[in-house]
Structures are given as structure tokens and as C-alpha cells.
Amino acid sequence: MSLVLQVGALPQWLTGALRDEYRALVLPDDGERDAFLAGPGRDVRVAATSVATGVSRELILALPSLEAVVNYGAGYETTDVHAAIERGVVVSNTPDVLSDCVADTALGLTIDVLRGLSAGDRFVRRGDWADGAFPLMRKVSGARVGILGLGRIGRAIATRFQALGCTISYHDRREFEDSPFAYASSPVELAAGADVLIVAAAGGPATHHLVDQAVLEALGTTGYLINIARGSLVDEEALVKVLMEGGIAGAGLDVFAHEPHVPPELLTLDNVVLSPHLASGTVETRAAMEEVAMANVRAYMTEGRLLTPVPEMQRAAG
Ligand code: 8YV
């Protein structure tokens, strides 16, 4: 009897640990899924997944013994947390351990796009240097940085830009009294007062297209957009249009609306830095994320509790 179910692909170490320690089964594809759910699926207590797959309402309802969903990754918008709460199923993610790497990536993309590091690399490789100097770019130190979403990752980003003497402001669902940074009451207000707008909020329906045409217009022709959060937070069509028309100065994007699809128009723009959702992608951080996910499975199986429940669970527990 298997009490742990793997839903979707997971990294190699985590897959092996789930199998070796709990004889975890992998949820079969559509053809065999019904038979699985009517048979071994009835005993499953813990589902381990990642944001790439998640556990839907339908699957939560189809697993009658399900008690916990352990998500590998900080983002968990593909798991139906409302359905989980309704069924008394607890959900965990892997926060904190990736904040440094994601914040490093936000800083790296900002320096790259403002100073033209990738563009300069292309310039040298093309042999253009022999024909004249690289154009002057924009200063990063001292810039006004607006952070959309001042959670753990947003705060780690702020720390890095503080070291560069930047002025930091932020917008979040609410103002944080413990924050030394100026609060903007809307994304438009944040963008209007920033040279660099960094998107660091969680994905999901509540933040869909938080950065829309109006926010991009408020950022203006000298402003830059950096997104290390989720493609869903930005109206990508509006972003492409505004970039093509020079409505903002440039963008550094690690995430896209339909990954791995990247709008082809962006490939032609020298003032846009594109990266393949690599923000947490270091050997150290991915190993730490796997460890946190596995520690949650073990804690649930031995003590009936999760170590890093998602915030909604804490709120539901009141
Ligand atoms: C992915 C991420 O999880 O944690 C998140 O929310 O976006 C990333 O770290 C990573 O691609 C692993 O699947």
C-alpha cells in the first residue's frame, strides 16, 4: 500500500527519496488514471507535486484519504488551495531557501538591462566595437526602485538594492508597519515613482495582469520593468506593444505568460534581457528546495504536521 503519491515530474533526488522512503507511486497519465484512482489512489494520504503540475480540485476530490499536498517550489498557484481547505487538506511550499537566488537574479537582470551587459556582449561578438564605442547606458546605483510584492523575495531584493544606495518603494495588498520603505497605494503609483519596477508578487488569479497598460504607461519612457515572479502578473501583449513603441526603456524578464514560449517580437529587441525561468536554478538552491519538500513529507508522515504550510493554511487555522 502506498500512502504517498507523486503528481507530475519532480527532480531526481526528490523522486528517489519519495520512492525509497515511502514507496511513492507516480500518478499515471489519463489512460490509466481512473483505474489508479479507483484502486491504489484510495489510500493516498500525501501528494507531492510542483508548481509545474499542481493538484487540481478534481484530483483533491478524487483522492478520498488525501490529507496533505507538499509542493516543491515557492509558487503553488496550480494547486487548488481553496478546494484543499474545504476538504481539510493542508498544503506546504518551499519558501525562504530560494529567496537569495531569486533576488540575485532580479539584481542581475537590472544591472544587465540598465548597463547593457548582454547587449554589449553581442556588440563585441558582432565585431561592432571596431566601428565605434558602445552607447552610454543608465546608472543603477542610486536609482529609484519600486518593488511590487514585499514578501520574502521582495525584501531580499530590497536589501540588495539598498546596498547600491537605491531609494526603495513598494506596493503590496497592505502597508507593512515594520518596513522602512515608502508605500505606494497602487501599482500605477509605484510605477510612476520608479526608474525600475520589479515584479516580485505571487502568481494566481488575485494578481493576474497587475502590471497592465496603465502601469506600463506610468513607468514611462525612461522606466524599466523586471519580472522574476510569474508571467501571469504582466499583461504580456501590452508589454510587447509598449516595448516595440519605446513606451518604456527596457525590460529584464525571467518569466513569461506561456513558458517556454517567448513572444518573438522580444527576440529582436536589444533593450530586453530574456532568461529561461532560471531565478531559483542553482545547484545549491534546488537541492535546498528538494530537502524542504522532503522534510515536509517526513514531518507529515511521522508527526501529522507540515513544516512550511502556505500562508492560506495559517489564516484558515485562524
Ligand atoms: C520553480 C519557481 O519552482 O519556486 C517557484 O515558484 O518558480 C521556481 O523555483 C522551479 O522552476 C522548480 O520547478
Side-chain angles (χ1 to χ4, degrees), residues 109 112-113 118 122 243 251-256 262-269 271-278:
L109 283 173
D112 192 338
V113 71
S118 290
R122 288 190 291 271
L243 279 165
L253 307 171
D254 187 50
V255 287
F256 301 88
V262 174
E265 298 91 330
L266 298 183
L267 305 179
T268 64
L269 298 178
N271 58 338
V272 177
V273 176
L274 303 165
S275 59
H277 198 146
L278 54 67

Side-chain angles (χ1 to χ4, degrees), residues 9 11 50-52 71-77 94 98 102 153 228-230 254-255 259 277-281 285-286 289:
S50 82
V51 69
N71 181 71
Y72 163 79
Y76 50 90
E77 67 272 21
T94 60
L98 47 59
V102 177
I153 291 172
I228 46 70
R230 283 289 181 268
D254 187 50
V255 287
E259 293 170 12
H277 198 146
L278 54 67
S280 71
T285 287
R286 288 288 169 82
M289 290 163 62

Side-chain angles (χ1 to χ4, degrees), residues 218-234:
L219 191 57
T221 53
T222 56
Y224 294 83
L225 180 77
I226 306 295
N227 190 1
I228 46 70
R230 283 289 181 268
S232 63
L233 280 141
V234 176

